[in-house]
Amino acid sequence: MTGDDEVEEASARAGGPYDISEAPAGIAQLDLGALKVPAIEDVEVRVQADNDGKIQQVVLVSNESALQLGVFAAPRSEGIWDEVRAEIRKQLSNDGVAAEEAEGDYGIELRARVRTPDGLTDIRFVGVDGPRWLVRAVYQGAAAIDPSVAPALTECLRNLVVDRGNEAMPVREPLPLHLPKEVAEASASAEEQADSEPVNGDGTAGRKPSPRPRRK
């Protein structure tokens, strides 16, 4: 698939993920760097970040379903989802998990059932090839079987925006994700305040409250 074919395919879809160059205006978003996640009612955005504010994982949660998002560098000339999907299937097979391919809104998906600490869980891998990027979306829970049970997650994926940037990157390298500036600053401020608080003899931070005067 050529780069022009990818753009035409993206335009033919009902929505995104969009490249930053073609994204519609007026969508409220959470800016995570390479990913702009739409702010959708009833969807909780959970991120796992290191001490520098670099995000390691993005998970959207709606009711009993979840959607994990990842975005990676891809070549200009062709998509890489077919190769990535084959590798995921092989890895699942090595782990003793059977996976099957099925046609979905974005082409061929990969579906499986895995064992977790909470029991068996259905998962569905969706790949979207864009201009020099790949979005990998993993549905977990009920939405992995029936997308209609979590329409808010589907809406998030369709309104997702990718900002690839112009920097040269190795193919399949994760694109940089980071906490929004205001969130990172608030987190750093909270840590500094905690470090500067005096510690009481009982191990608690901050000054102990003065005893209340007794009423006569």
Side-chain angles (χ1 to χ4, degrees):
M1 182 182 294
T2 67
D4 292 339
D5 291 337
E6 291 170 7
V7 174
E8 290 178 4
E9 180 182 345
S11 300
R13 289 194 299 262
Y18 299 99
D19 186 74
I20 189 70
S21 63
E22 61 178 5
I27 299 177
Q29 299 170 334
L30 180 64
D31 187 352
L32 301 181
L35 283 181
K36 319 298 183 186
V37 179
I40 304 296
E41 187 175 359
D42 297 328
V43 173
E44 178 185 355
V45 181
R46 300 177 182 176
V47 299
Q48 179 181 336
D50 60 20
N51 293 333
D52 296 326
K54 295 180 180 178
I55 294 176
Q56 311 298 321
Q57 188 178 72
V58 180
V59 179
L60 313 183
V61 179
S62 178
N63 297 323
E64 300 301 317
S65 297
L67 176 61
Q68 182 177 345
L69 297 173
V71 62
F72 307 87
R76 184 185 300 274
S77 58
E78 59 184 0
I80 59 174
W81 171 235
D82 288 345
E83 296 178 11
V84 171
R85 186 179 68 253
E87 292 175 2
I88 295 173
R89 188 172 189 176
K90 182 178 180 181
Q91 183 60 56
L92 290 171
S93 178
N94 292 341
D95 294 339
V97 177
E100 62 178 13
E101 294 185 342
E103 190 71 22
D105 291 341
Y106 296 94
I108 301 177
E109 304 174 346
L110 196 62
R111 303 180 182 185
R113 178 170 291 181
V114 298
R115 186 173 299 279
T116 70
D118 298 324
L120 291 175
T121 299
D122 291 291
I123 58 175
R124 176 163 57 96
F125 294 86
V126 177
V128 185
D129 285 309
R132 300 177 65 217
W133 51 259
L134 167 73
V135 167
R136 187 189 64 196
V138 186
Y139 286 91
Q140 304 173 31
I145 301 175
D146 182 5
S148 66
V149 302
L153 294 181
T154 299
E155 186 179 355
C156 281
L157 185 57
R158 285 180 177 170
N159 287 283
L160 191 69
V161 175
V162 178
D163 187 356
R164 165 65 175 81
N166 297 318
E167 183 180 353
M169 295 183 64
V171 173
R172 305 192 190 193
E173 181 83 6
L175 298 185
L177 300 175
H178 54 74
L179 293 172
K181 183 179 179 180
E182 59 274 15
V183 175
E185 290 176 350
S187 177
S189 177
E191 290 180 2
E192 290 176 1
Q193 184 175 359
D195 291 341
S196 63
E197 287 282 2
V199 178
N200 299 316
D202 58 3
T204 60
R207 296 183 179 180
K208 290 186 176 182
S210 302
R212 295 182 179 177
R214 294 181 180 179
R215 293 184 178 179
K216 295 183 180 180

